[in-house]
Amino acid sequence: MMKSFFEAIQWLFERILFAPHDLMRFTELKNWWIANLVNWVLWAIICYYIYYWTIQLKIFKDNNEDEQDTTAHSFLK
């Protein structure tokens, strides 16, 4: 009973959940650019949100809504 349960978990991970990783692994052998397209897309998304975040920080700082309390810890006094 327990052995079949763990084999089902193994099947789920190996056949279903890791399938995209296997696809990228096999694609890398044929074309490096296609295999790393996912990485470049994720980097573009990260860069966009870092830019968005810094713009939002600037907006709050310009409106004096940014509270900068450097005495949050006793050792910073």
Side-chain angles (χ1 to χ4, degrees), residues 68-77:
Q68 294 185 355
D69 185 15
T70 56
T71 60
H73 299 285
S74 60
F75 58 86
L76 294 176
K77 290 183 180 181

Side-chain angles (χ1 to χ4, degrees), residues 25-60:
R25 184 180 58 164
F26 292 128
T27 305
E28 182 184 16
L29 299 175
K30 296 177 183 170
N31 191 336
W32 182 88
W33 292 101
I34 293 174
N36 285 293
L37 181 66
V38 174
N39 294 329
W40 291 107
V41 169
L42 290 176
W43 270 109
I45 292 170
I46 290 169
C47 289
Y48 169 77
Y49 280 109
I50 289 174
Y51 175 75
Y52 175 79
W53 181 39
T54 55
I55 295 299
Q56 292 298 316
L57 287 174
K58 184 176 181 333
I59 290 171
F60 276 94

